[in-house]
Each structure stands twice: as C-alpha cells, then as structure tokens.
Coordinates of all heavy atoms in Angstrom, one line a residue:
M1 N 55.8 127.5 57.3 CA 54.5 126.8 57.3 C 54.6 125.7 58.4 O 55.5 124.9 58.5 CB 54.3 126.1 56.0 CG 53.0 125.3 55.8 SD 51.5 126.3 55.8 CE 50.3 125.1 55.7
T2 N 53.7 125.8 59.3 CA 53.6 124.9 60.4 C 52.9 123.6 60.0 O 51.9 123.6 59.3 CB 52.8 125.5 61.6 OG1 53.3 126.8 61.8 CG2 53.0 124.7 62.9
E3 N 53.5 122.5 60.4 CA 53.0 121.2 60.0 C 51.9 120.6 60.9 O 52.0 120.8 62.1 CB 54.1 120.1 59.9 CG 55.0 120.3 58.7 CD 56.1 119.2 58.7 OE1 55.9 118.2 59.3 OE2 57.1 119.5 58.0
L4 N 51.0 119.9 60.3 CA 50.0 119.2 61.1 C 50.7 118.1 62.0 O 51.7 117.6 61.6 CB 48.9 118.5 60.2 CG 47.9 119.4 59.5 CD1 47.1 118.6 58.6 CD2 47.1 120.2 60.5
L5 N 50.1 117.8 63.1 CA 50.7 116.8 64.0 C 50.5 115.4 63.3 O 49.5 115.1 62.8 CB 49.9 116.7 65.3 CG 50.3 117.7 66.4 CD1 49.4 117.5 67.6 CD2 51.8 117.5 66.8
S6 N 51.6 114.6 63.4 CA 51.5 113.3 62.9 C 50.8 112.4 63.8 O 50.4 112.8 65.0 CB 53.0 112.7 62.7 OG 53.5 112.7 64.0
E7 N 50.5 111.1 63.5 CA 49.9 110.2 64.4 C 50.6 110.0 65.7 O 50.1 110.1 66.7 CB 49.7 108.8 63.7 CG 48.5 108.8 62.7 CD 47.2 109.2 63.4 OE1 46.9 108.8 64.5 OE2 46.5 110.0 62.7
T8 N 51.9 109.9 65.5 CA 52.8 109.8 66.7 C 52.7 111.0 67.6 O 52.6 111.0 68.8 CB 54.3 109.5 66.3 OG1 54.2 108.5 65.3 CG2 55.1 109.1 67.5
G9 N 52.8 112.2 66.9 CA 52.7 113.5 67.6 C 51.4 113.6 68.4 O 51.4 114.1 69.5
R10 N 50.3 113.1 67.8 CA 49.0 113.2 68.4 C 49.1 112.3 69.7 O 48.6 112.8 70.8 CB 47.9 112.7 67.5 CG 47.5 113.8 66.5 CD 46.7 113.3 65.3 NE 46.8 114.3 64.3 CZ 45.9 115.3 64.2 NH1 44.9 115.4 65.1 NH2 46.1 116.3 63.3
E11 N 49.6 111.1 69.6 CA 49.6 110.2 70.7 C 50.5 110.8 71.9 O 50.1 110.8 73.0 CB 50.2 108.8 70.4 CG 49.1 108.0 69.7 CD 49.7 106.9 68.8 OE1 50.8 106.4 69.1 OE2 49.0 106.4 67.9
T12 N 51.7 111.3 71.5 CA 52.6 111.8 72.6 C 52.2 113.2 73.1 O 52.3 113.4 74.3 CB 54.0 111.8 72.1 OG1 54.1 112.6 70.9 CG2 54.5 110.4 71.7
M13 N 51.7 114.1 72.2 CA 51.5 115.4 72.7 C 50.1 115.7 73.1 O 49.8 116.5 74.0 CB 51.9 116.4 71.6 CG 53.3 116.3 71.2 SD 53.7 117.4 69.8 CE 54.5 118.7 70.8
L14 N 49.1 115.0 72.5 CA 47.7 115.3 72.9 C 47.2 114.4 74.1 O 46.4 114.9 74.9 CB 46.8 115.0 71.7 CG 47.0 116.0 70.5 CD1 45.9 115.7 69.4 CD2 47.0 117.4 70.9
A15 N 47.7 113.2 74.2 CA 47.2 112.3 75.3 C 47.3 113.0 76.7 O 46.4 113.0 77.4 CB 48.0 111.0 75.3
P16 N 48.5 113.6 77.0 CA 48.6 114.3 78.3 C 47.6 115.5 78.5 O 47.1 115.8 79.6 CB 50.0 114.8 78.4 CG 50.7 114.3 77.2 CD 49.8 113.7 76.3
L17 N 47.3 116.1 77.3 CA 46.4 117.2 77.4 C 45.0 116.8 77.6 O 44.2 117.4 78.4 CB 46.5 118.1 76.1 CG 47.8 118.8 75.9 CD1 47.8 119.4 74.5 CD2 48.0 119.9 76.9
F18 N 44.6 115.6 77.1 CA 43.3 115.0 77.3 C 43.2 114.7 78.8 O 42.1 114.8 79.4 CB 43.0 113.8 76.4 CG 43.0 114.2 74.9 CD1 43.3 113.2 74.0 CD2 42.6 115.4 74.5 CE1 43.3 113.5 72.6 CE2 42.5 115.7 73.1 CZ 42.9 114.8 72.2
E19 N 44.2 114.2 79.4 CA 44.3 113.9 80.8 C 44.0 115.1 81.6 O 43.5 115.1 82.7 CB 45.6 113.3 81.2 CG 46.0 111.9 80.6 CD 45.1 110.9 81.3 OE1 45.0 110.8 82.5 OE2 44.5 110.1 80.5
A20 N 44.5 116.3 81.1 CA 44.4 117.5 81.8 C 43.1 118.3 81.5 O 43.0 119.5 81.9 CB 45.6 118.4 81.5
G21 N 42.2 117.7 80.8 CA 40.9 118.3 80.6 C 40.6 118.9 79.3 O 39.5 119.5 79.0
W22 N 41.6 118.8 78.4 CA 41.3 119.3 77.0 C 40.5 118.2 76.3 O 40.7 117.0 76.6 CB 42.7 119.5 76.3 CG 43.4 120.7 76.8 CD1 44.3 120.7 77.9 CD2 43.4 122.1 76.3 NE1 44.8 122.0 78.1 CE2 44.3 122.8 77.1 CE3 42.7 122.7 75.3 CZ2 44.4 124.2 76.9 CZ3 42.9 124.1 75.1 CH2 43.7 124.8 75.9
T23 N 39.7 118.6 75.3 CA 38.9 117.7 74.5 C 39.0 118.1 73.1 O 39.3 119.3 72.8 CB 37.5 117.6 74.9 OG1 36.9 118.9 74.8 CG2 37.3 117.1 76.4
M24 N 38.7 117.2 72.2 CA 38.6 117.5 70.7 C 37.4 118.3 70.5 O 36.3 118.0 71.1 CB 38.6 116.3 69.9 CG 40.0 115.5 69.8 SD 41.3 116.5 69.1 CE 40.8 116.8 67.4
V25 N 37.4 119.3 69.6 CA 36.2 120.0 69.1 C 35.5 119.1 68.1 O 36.1 118.5 67.3 CB 36.6 121.3 68.5 CG1 35.4 122.0 67.9 CG2 37.3 122.2 69.5
E26 N 34.2 119.0 68.3 CA 33.4 118.2 67.4 C 33.5 118.7 65.9 O 33.3 119.9 65.7 CB 31.9 118.3 67.9 CG 30.9 117.4 67.2 CD 30.9 116.0 67.7 OE1 31.3 115.8 68.9 OE2 30.6 115.1 67.0
G27 N 33.8 117.8 65.0 CA 33.8 118.2 63.6 C 34.9 119.1 63.1 O 34.9 119.7 62.1
R28 N 36.0 119.2 63.9 CA 37.1 120.1 63.6 C 38.4 119.6 64.2 O 38.3 119.0 65.3 CB 36.7 121.4 64.3 CG 37.4 122.6 63.6 CD 37.1 123.9 64.3 NE 38.2 124.7 64.2 CZ 38.4 125.9 64.8 NH1 37.6 126.3 65.6 NH2 39.5 126.5 64.6
D29 N 39.5 119.8 63.6 CA 40.8 119.4 64.1 C 41.3 120.5 65.1 O 42.1 121.3 64.7 CB 41.8 119.1 63.0 CG 43.0 118.3 63.5 OD1 42.9 117.6 64.6 OD2 44.1 118.4 62.9
A30 N 40.7 120.5 66.3 CA 41.1 121.6 67.2 C 40.8 121.0 68.6 O 40.0 120.1 68.8 CB 40.2 122.8 67.0
I31 N 41.5 121.6 69.6 CA 41.2 121.2 71.0 C 40.6 122.4 71.8 O 40.9 123.5 71.5 CB 42.5 120.7 71.7 CG1 43.7 121.7 71.6 CG2 42.9 119.3 71.2 CD1 44.9 121.3 72.4
T32 N 39.9 122.0 72.8 CA 39.2 123.1 73.6 C 39.2 122.7 75.1 O 39.3 121.6 75.5 CB 37.7 123.2 73.1 OG1 37.2 124.4 73.8 CG2 36.9 122.0 73.4
K33 N 39.2 123.8 75.9 CA 39.2 123.6 77.3 C 38.5 124.8 77.9 O 38.7 126.0 77.4 CB 40.6 123.5 78.0 CG 40.6 123.2 79.5 CD 42.0 122.8 80.0 CE 42.0 122.7 81.5 NZ 43.3 122.2 82.0
T34 N 37.7 124.6 79.0 CA 37.0 125.8 79.6 C 37.6 125.9 81.0 O 37.7 125.0 81.8 CB 35.5 125.5 79.8 OG1 35.0 125.4 78.4 CG2 34.8 126.7 80.5
Y35 N 38.2 127.1 81.3 CA 38.8 127.4 82.6 C 37.8 128.2 83.4 O 37.2 129.1 82.9 CB 40.0 128.2 82.4 CG 41.2 127.6 81.7 CD1 41.4 127.8 80.4 CD2 42.1 126.8 82.4 CE1 42.5 127.2 79.7 CE2 43.2 126.2 81.8 CZ 43.4 126.4 80.4 OH 44.4 125.8 79.8
Q36 N 37.7 127.9 84.7 CA 36.9 128.6 85.6 C 37.8 129.3 86.7 O 38.6 128.5 87.3 CB 35.9 127.7 86.4 CG 34.9 127.0 85.5 CD 33.7 127.9 85.2 OE1 33.7 129.0 85.6 NE2 32.9 127.4 84.3
F37 N 37.7 130.5 86.8 CA 38.6 131.3 87.8 C 37.7 131.7 89.0 O 36.5 131.6 88.9 CB 39.3 132.4 87.1 CG 40.3 131.9 86.1 CD1 39.9 131.8 84.7 CD2 41.6 131.6 86.4 CE1 40.8 131.3 83.8 CE2 42.5 131.1 85.5 CZ 42.1 131.0 84.2
D38 N 38.3 132.3 90.0 CA 37.6 132.7 91.1 C 36.8 134.0 90.9 O 35.8 134.3 91.5 CB 38.5 133.0 92.3 CG 39.1 131.7 92.9 OD1 38.5 130.6 92.6 OD2 40.1 131.7 93.6
N39 N 37.3 134.8 89.9 CA 36.6 136.1 89.7 C 37.1 136.6 88.3 O 38.0 136.0 87.7 CB 36.9 137.1 90.8 CG 38.4 137.2 91.1 OD1 39.2 137.5 90.1 ND2 38.9 137.0 92.3
F40 N 36.6 137.8 87.9 CA 36.9 138.3 86.6 C 38.4 138.7 86.5 O 39.1 138.5 85.5 CB 36.0 139.5 86.3 CG 36.4 140.2 85.0 CD1 36.2 139.6 83.8 CD2 37.0 141.4 85.0 CE1 36.5 140.2 82.6 CE2 37.4 142.1 83.8 CZ 37.1 141.4 82.6
V41 N 38.9 139.3 87.6 CA 40.3 139.7 87.6 C 41.3 138.6 87.3 O 42.3 138.7 86.6 CB 40.7 140.5 88.8 CG1 42.2 140.8 88.9 CG2 39.9 141.8 88.9
E42 N 41.0 137.4 88.0 CA 41.8 136.2 87.7 C 41.7 135.7 86.3 O 42.7 135.4 85.7 CB 41.4 135.1 88.7 CG 41.7 135.4 90.2 CD 43.1 135.4 90.5 OE1 43.9 134.6 89.9 OE2 43.5 136.2 91.3
A43 N 40.5 135.8 85.8 CA 40.3 135.3 84.4 C 41.0 136.2 83.4 O 41.7 135.8 82.5 CB 38.8 135.3 84.1
F44 N 40.8 137.5 83.6 CA 41.4 138.4 82.7 C 43.0 138.5 82.8 O 43.7 138.7 81.8 CB 40.8 139.8 82.8 CG 41.0 140.7 81.6 CD1 40.3 140.4 80.5 CD2 42.0 141.7 81.6 CE1 40.5 141.2 79.3 CE2 42.1 142.5 80.4 CZ 41.4 142.2 79.3
G45 N 43.4 138.3 84.0 CA 44.9 138.2 84.3 C 45.5 137.0 83.5 O 46.5 137.1 82.9
F46 N 44.8 135.9 83.6 CA 45.2 134.7 82.8 C 45.2 135.0 81.3 O 46.2 134.7 80.6 CB 44.2 133.5 83.1 CG 44.2 132.4 82.1 CD1 45.3 131.5 82.1 CD2 43.3 132.3 81.1 CE1 45.3 130.5 81.1 CE2 43.3 131.3 80.1 CZ 44.3 130.4 80.1
M47 N 44.2 135.7 80.8 CA 44.2 136.0 79.4 C 45.3 136.9 79.0 O 45.9 136.8 77.9 CB 42.8 136.6 79.0 CG 41.7 135.6 79.2 SD 40.1 136.4 78.8 CE 40.0 136.3 77.0
T48 N 45.6 137.9 79.9 CA 46.7 138.8 79.6 C 48.0 138.1 79.5 O 48.8 138.3 78.6 CB 46.7 139.9 80.7 OG1 45.4 140.5 80.8 CG2 47.7 141.0 80.4
R49 N 48.3 137.2 80.5 CA 49.5 136.5 80.5 C 49.6 135.5 79.3 O 50.7 135.5 78.6 CB 49.7 135.8 81.8 CG 50.1 136.7 82.9 CD 50.2 136.1 84.3 NE 48.8 135.8 84.8 CZ 48.4 134.7 85.4 NH1 49.2 133.7 85.6 NH2 47.2 134.6 85.8
A50 N 48.5 134.9 79.0 CA 48.5 133.9 77.9 C 48.7 134.7 76.5 O 49.4 134.2 75.6 CB 47.2 133.2 77.8
A51 N 48.1 135.9 76.5 CA 48.3 136.7 75.2 C 49.7 137.0 75.0 O 50.1 137.1 73.8 CB 47.4 138.0 75.4
L52 N 50.5 137.3 76.0 CA 51.9 137.7 75.8 C 52.7 136.5 75.2 O 53.5 136.7 74.4 CB 52.5 138.2 77.1 CG 51.9 139.5 77.6 CD1 52.5 139.9 78.9 CD2 52.1 140.6 76.6
W53 N 52.4 135.3 75.7 CA 53.0 134.1 75.2 C 52.6 133.8 73.7 O 53.4 133.5 72.9 CB 52.7 132.8 76.0 CG 53.6 132.9 77.3 CD1 53.2 133.3 78.5 CD2 54.9 132.5 77.4 NE1 54.2 133.2 79.4 CE2 55.3 132.7 78.8 CE3 55.9 132.0 76.5 CZ2 56.6 132.5 79.3 CZ3 57.2 131.7 77.0 CH2 57.5 132.0 78.4
A54 N 51.3 134.0 73.5 CA 50.7 133.8 72.1 C 51.4 134.7 71.1 O 51.8 134.3 70.0 CB 49.2 134.1 72.2
E55 N 51.6 136.0 71.6 CA 52.3 136.9 70.7 C 53.7 136.6 70.4 O 54.3 136.6 69.3 CB 52.1 138.3 71.3 CG 52.5 139.5 70.4 CD 51.7 139.5 69.1 OE1 50.7 138.9 68.9 OE2 52.2 140.3 68.2
K56 N 54.4 136.2 71.5 CA 55.8 135.8 71.5 C 56.0 134.6 70.5 O 57.0 134.6 69.7 CB 56.3 135.4 72.9 CG 57.7 135.0 73.0 CD 57.9 134.5 74.5 CE 59.2 133.8 74.7 NZ 60.4 134.7 74.9
W57 N 55.1 133.7 70.5 CA 55.2 132.5 69.7 C 54.4 132.7 68.3 O 54.4 131.7 67.5 CB 54.6 131.3 70.4 CG 55.5 130.8 71.6 CD1 56.8 131.1 71.8 CD2 55.1 130.1 72.7 NE1 57.3 130.5 72.9 CE2 56.2 129.9 73.6 CE3 53.9 129.5 73.1 CZ2 56.2 129.2 74.8 CZ3 53.8 128.8 74.3 CH2 55.0 128.6 75.1
D58 N 53.8 133.8 68.1 CA 53.0 134.1 66.9 C 52.0 133.0 66.7 O 51.9 132.4 65.6 CB 53.9 134.2 65.7 CG 53.2 134.8 64.5 OD1 52.2 135.5 64.7 OD2 53.5 134.5 63.4
H59 N 51.3 132.6 67.8 CA 50.3 131.6 67.8 C 49.2 132.0 68.7 O 49.4 132.0 69.9 CB 51.0 130.2 68.1 CG 50.1 129.1 67.7 ND1 49.8 128.8 66.4 CD2 49.3 128.2 68.5 CE1 49.0 127.8 66.3 NE2 48.7 127.4 67.6
H60 N 48.0 132.2 68.1 CA 47.0 132.9 68.9 C 45.8 132.0 69.1 O 45.3 131.3 68.2 CB 46.6 134.2 68.2 CG 47.8 135.1 67.9 ND1 48.6 134.9 66.9 CD2 48.3 136.1 68.7 CE1 49.6 135.8 66.9 NE2 49.4 136.5 68.1
P61 N 45.2 132.1 70.3 CA 44.0 131.3 70.7 C 42.7 131.9 70.1 O 42.7 133.1 69.9 CB 44.0 131.3 72.2 CG 44.6 132.6 72.6 CD 45.7 132.9 71.5
E62 N 41.7 131.0 70.0 CA 40.4 131.5 69.8 C 39.8 131.4 71.3 O 40.0 130.3 71.9 CB 39.6 130.6 68.9 CG 40.1 130.5 67.5 CD 39.5 129.3 66.7 OE1 38.3 129.0 66.9 OE2 40.2 128.7 65.9
W63 N 39.3 132.4 71.8 CA 38.7 132.3 73.1 C 37.6 133.2 73.4 O 37.3 134.2 72.6 CB 39.9 132.5 74.2 CG 40.7 133.8 74.0 CD1 40.5 134.8 73.2 CD2 42.0 134.0 74.7 NE1 41.5 135.7 73.4 CE2 42.4 135.3 74.3 CE3 42.7 133.3 75.7 CZ2 43.6 135.8 74.8 CZ3 43.9 133.9 76.2 CH2 44.3 135.1 75.7
F64 N 36.8 132.9 74.4 CA 35.6 133.5 74.7 C 35.5 133.7 76.2 O 35.6 132.7 77.0 CB 34.4 132.7 74.2 CG 33.1 133.3 74.4 CD1 32.7 134.4 73.7 CD2 32.2 132.6 75.3 CE1 31.4 134.9 73.9 CE2 30.9 133.2 75.5 CZ 30.5 134.3 74.8
N65 N 35.3 134.9 76.7 CA 35.3 135.1 78.1 C 34.0 135.7 78.6 O 33.4 136.6 78.0 CB 36.4 136.1 78.5 CG 36.3 136.8 79.9 OD1 36.2 138.0 79.9 ND2 36.2 136.0 80.9
V66 N 33.4 135.1 79.6 CA 32.2 135.7 80.3 C 32.5 135.7 81.7 O 32.7 134.6 82.3 CB 30.9 134.9 80.0 CG1 29.8 135.5 80.8 CG2 30.6 134.8 78.5
Y67 N 32.7 136.8 82.3 CA 32.9 137.0 83.8 C 34.2 136.2 84.1 O 35.3 136.5 83.7 CB 31.7 136.7 84.5 CG 31.7 136.8 86.0 CD1 32.6 137.8 86.6 CD2 31.0 136.0 86.9 CE1 32.6 137.9 88.0 CE2 31.0 136.1 88.3 CZ 31.9 137.1 88.8 OH 31.9 137.2 90.2
K68 N 34.0 135.1 84.9 CA 35.2 134.3 85.4 C 35.4 133.0 84.6 O 36.2 132.2 85.1 CB 35.0 134.1 86.9 CG 33.8 133.4 87.3 CD 33.7 133.4 88.8 CE 32.5 132.6 89.3 NZ 32.4 132.5 90.7
T69 N 34.8 132.9 83.5 CA 34.9 131.7 82.6 C 35.7 132.1 81.4 O 35.4 133.1 80.8 CB 33.5 131.1 82.3 OG1 32.9 130.8 83.5 CG2 33.7 129.9 81.4
V70 N 36.7 131.2 81.0 CA 37.4 131.5 79.7 C 37.4 130.2 79.0 O 37.9 129.1 79.4 CB 38.9 131.9 80.0 CG1 39.5 132.2 78.6 CG2 38.9 133.2 80.8
E71 N 36.7 130.2 77.8 CA 36.6 129.0 76.9 C 37.7 129.2 75.8 O 37.7 130.2 75.1 CB 35.2 129.1 76.3 CG 34.7 127.8 75.8 CD 33.2 128.1 75.3 OE1 32.4 128.5 76.1 OE2 33.0 127.9 74.1
V72 N 38.6 128.2 75.7 CA 39.7 128.4 74.8 C 39.6 127.3 73.7 O 39.3 126.1 74.0 CB 41.1 128.2 75.5 CG1 42.2 128.3 74.5 CG2 41.2 129.2 76.6
T73 N 39.9 127.6 72.5 CA 40.0 126.7 71.4 C 41.3 126.9 70.7 O 41.7 128.1 70.4 CB 38.8 126.8 70.4 OG1 37.6 126.5 71.0 CG2 39.0 125.8 69.2
L74 N 42.1 125.8 70.5 CA 43.4 126.0 69.8 C 43.4 125.1 68.5 O 43.0 124.0 68.5 CB 44.5 125.5 70.8 CG 44.6 126.3 72.1 CD1 45.7 125.6 72.9 CD2 44.9 127.7 71.8
S75 N 43.9 125.7 67.5 CA 44.1 125.1 66.2 C 45.0 126.0 65.4 O 45.2 127.1 65.7 CB 42.7 124.9 65.5 OG 42.9 124.1 64.3
T76 N 45.7 125.4 64.4 CA 46.6 126.2 63.6 C 46.0 126.5 62.2 O 45.8 125.6 61.4 CB 47.9 125.4 63.4 OG1 48.5 125.1 64.7 CG2 49.0 126.2 62.6
H77 N 45.6 127.7 62.1 CA 44.8 128.1 60.9 C 45.6 127.9 59.6 O 45.1 127.4 58.6 CB 44.3 129.5 61.0 CG 43.7 129.8 62.4 ND1 44.1 130.7 63.2 CD2 42.7 129.1 63.0 CE1 43.4 130.7 64.4 NE2 42.5 129.7 64.3
D78 N 46.9 128.2 59.7 CA 47.8 128.1 58.5 C 47.9 126.6 58.1 O 48.1 126.4 56.9 CB 49.2 128.6 58.9 CG 49.2 130.1 59.2 OD1 48.3 130.8 58.8 OD2 50.2 130.6 59.7
A79 N 47.7 125.7 59.0 CA 47.9 124.3 58.7 C 46.6 123.6 58.5 O 46.5 122.5 58.0 CB 48.7 123.6 59.7
G80 N 45.5 124.2 58.9 CA 44.2 123.6 58.8 C 43.9 122.5 59.8 O 43.2 121.6 59.6
G81 N 44.6 122.7 61.0 CA 44.4 121.7 62.1 C 45.4 121.8 63.1 O 46.1 122.8 63.2
L82 N 45.5 120.7 63.9 CA 46.4 120.8 65.1 C 47.9 120.6 64.7 O 48.3 119.7 64.0 CB 46.0 119.7 66.1 CG 44.7 119.9 66.8 CD1 44.2 118.6 67.5 CD2 44.9 121.0 67.9
S83 N 48.7 121.5 65.3 CA 50.2 121.4 65.1 C 50.8 121.4 66.5 O 50.1 121.5 67.5 CB 50.7 122.6 64.4 OG 50.7 123.7 65.2
A84 N 52.1 121.2 66.5 CA 52.8 121.1 67.8 C 52.7 122.5 68.6 O 52.7 122.5 69.8 CB 54.3 120.8 67.6
L85 N 52.5 123.5 67.9 CA 52.3 124.8 68.5 C 51.0 124.9 69.4 O 51.0 125.5 70.4 CB 52.2 125.9 67.5 CG 53.5 126.5 66.9 CD1 53.2 127.4 65.8 CD2 54.3 127.2 68.0
D86 N 50.0 124.1 69.0 CA 48.8 124.1 69.8 C 49.0 123.4 71.1 O 48.6 123.8 72.2 CB 47.6 123.4 69.0 CG 47.3 124.2 67.7 OD1 47.0 125.4 67.9 OD2 47.4 123.6 66.6
A87 N 49.8 122.3 71.0 CA 50.1 121.5 72.3 C 51.0 122.4 73.2 O 50.8 122.4 74.4 CB 50.8 120.2 71.9
K88 N 51.9 123.1 72.6 CA 52.8 124.0 73.4 C 52.0 125.1 74.1 O 52.2 125.3 75.3 CB 53.8 124.6 72.4 CG 54.9 125.4 73.0 CD 55.9 125.8 71.9 CE 56.8 126.9 72.3 NZ 57.8 127.3 71.2
L89 N 51.1 125.7 73.3 CA 50.3 126.8 73.9 C 49.3 126.2 75.0 O 49.1 126.9 76.0 CB 49.6 127.6 72.9 CG 48.9 128.9 73.3 CD1 49.8 129.8 74.0 CD2 48.2 129.6 72.1
A90 N 48.8 125.1 74.7 CA 47.9 124.4 75.7 C 48.6 124.2 77.0 O 48.1 124.4 78.1 CB 47.3 123.1 75.1
R91 N 49.8 123.6 76.9 CA 50.6 123.4 78.1 C 50.9 124.6 78.9 O 50.8 124.7 80.1 CB 51.9 122.7 77.8 CG 51.8 121.2 77.4 CD 53.1 120.5 77.4 NE 54.1 121.1 76.4 CZ 54.2 120.7 75.1 NH1 53.5 119.7 74.7 NH2 55.1 121.3 74.4
K92 N 51.3 125.7 78.2 CA 51.6 127.0 78.8 C 50.3 127.5 79.5 O 50.4 128.0 80.6 CB 52.1 127.9 77.7 CG 52.4 129.3 78.2 CD 53.3 129.4 79.4 CE 54.8 129.1 78.9 NZ 55.7 129.2 80.1
M93 N 49.2 127.4 78.8 CA 47.9 127.9 79.4 C 47.6 127.2 80.7 O 47.2 127.8 81.7 CB 46.8 127.8 78.4 CG 46.9 128.9 77.3 SD 45.5 128.7 76.2 CE 45.3 130.4 75.7
D94 N 47.8 125.9 80.7 CA 47.5 125.1 82.0 C 48.5 125.6 83.1 O 48.0 125.7 84.2 CB 47.7 123.6 81.7 CG 46.5 123.0 81.0 OD1 45.5 123.7 80.8 OD2 46.6 121.8 80.5
Q95 N 49.7 125.8 82.7 CA 50.7 126.3 83.7 C 50.3 127.7 84.2 O 50.3 127.9 85.4 CB 52.0 126.3 83.0 CG 53.2 126.7 83.8 CD 54.4 127.0 82.9 OE1 54.6 126.3 81.9 NE2 55.2 127.9 83.3
L96 N 49.8 128.5 83.3 CA 49.5 129.9 83.7 C 48.2 129.9 84.6 O 48.0 130.7 85.5 CB 49.2 130.8 82.5 CG 50.5 131.1 81.7 CD1 50.1 131.9 80.4 CD2 51.5 131.9 82.5
A97 N 47.3 128.9 84.3 CA 46.0 128.9 85.0 C 46.2 128.3 86.4 O 45.3 128.4 87.3 CB 45.0 128.1 84.2
G98 N 47.4 127.7 86.6 CA 47.8 127.2 87.9 C 46.9 126.0 88.3 O 46.6 125.8 89.5
Ligands
H2B1 C1 51.1 135.7 59.7 C2 51.1 135.0 61.0 O1 52.3 134.5 61.4 C3 50.1 133.8 61.0 O2 48.9 134.3 60.6 C4 50.0 133.2 62.4 C5 49.4 134.1 63.5 N1 48.8 133.3 64.5 C6 48.3 132.1 64.3 N2 47.6 131.5 65.3 C7 47.0 130.3 65.1 N3 46.3 129.8 66.1 N4 47.2 129.7 63.9 C8 47.9 130.2 62.9 O3 48.0 129.6 61.9 C9 48.5 131.5 63.1 N5 49.2 132.0 62.2

C-alpha cells in the first residue's frame, strides 16, 4: 500500500514540480501538466517511453492526447491521493519530454 505524501513530503517533492509547470487539479489530490510537442510522433514517442517507466514502476498516468498535445494527471488511486510515486513519475516525464 502506497502512502499519501506527508506535509513535509509535499513541500519537498511537489514544490519543484510546481516550478516546472505542474499544478494541482481542482477538487482532487492530483497534479497535472500539459505538454506540447512539435508533432504527433514526438508526442506519441514521449507517451511510449513514459509508458515503459510507468509499467516498470507499476504506477500509471491518466492522460489525454490530441495530436501534439499530451495532458497528464498523476495521482495514486490505491492511496486516494498523491504519493511519492506521483512525484517520481512526474520528474521522469519532465526528463523524457526534454
Ligand atoms: C494492482 C496494481 O499494482 C495497482 O492497481 C497499481 C497499478 N497502477 C497504479 N497507478 C496509479 N496511478 N495509482 C495506483 O494506485 C496504481 N496502482
């Protein structure tokens, strides 16, 4: 069972993500970010690479793709909110998106 982020965890792990363009989802303990790529192949390539990390970590994004835009929402369903895994996957996605 994955634990919800503590207050300290939120300050240390989420603050840098907010700096990097992630925001809280309204009315829900989840974070979201919209990535814009140059074209569909770049967007889908990002999703493919992120999917492999998600599967490896058994932690999966909610996401929505239209052409070169990918809208991502991260939350831990098992915990009913944000856990350290969401921060970890968010950092990986930023890295993959370059
Ligand atoms: C059984 C399986 O390990 C769980 O359902 C995993 C799968 N991927 C998951 N992904 C996310 N985002 N949250 C979860 O709680 C979660 N749980």
Side-chain angles (χ1 to χ4, degrees):
M1 181 71 183
T2 313
E3 285 182 22
L4 289 176
L5 276 179
S6 64
E7 280 308 312
T8 314
R10 280 163 198 273
E11 282 160 23
T12 58
M13 301 178 99
L14 296 184
L17 293 173
F18 296 150
E19 292 290 311
W22 291 85
T23 58
M24 288 300 296
V25 174
E26 189 82 26
R28 202 183 149 191
D29 195 26
I31 52 173
T32 188
K33 182 171 179 175
T34 299
Y35 295 96
Q36 295 284 354
F37 295 91
D38 289 342
N39 52 54
F40 176 70
V41 170
E42 292 292 324
F44 201 74
F46 161 77
M47 293 177 82
T48 305
R49 285 175 284 136
L52 296 176
W53 284 98
E55 188 61 12
K56 179 184 169 80
W57 291 337
D58 192 28
H59 196 67
H60 302 86
E62 298 168 34
W63 51 12
F64 181 68
N65 162 240
V66 178
Y67 183 31
K68 56 188 182 177
T69 300
V70 182
E71 203 177 300
V72 178
T73 297
L74 300 178
S75 188
T76 301
H77 313 122
D78 295 344
L82 288 166
S83 74
L85 278 172
D86 298 305
K88 184 176 165 180
L89 189 55
R91 286 194 300 268
K92 177 56 75 178
M93 286 179 148
D94 282 349
Q95 186 190 322
L96 294 173

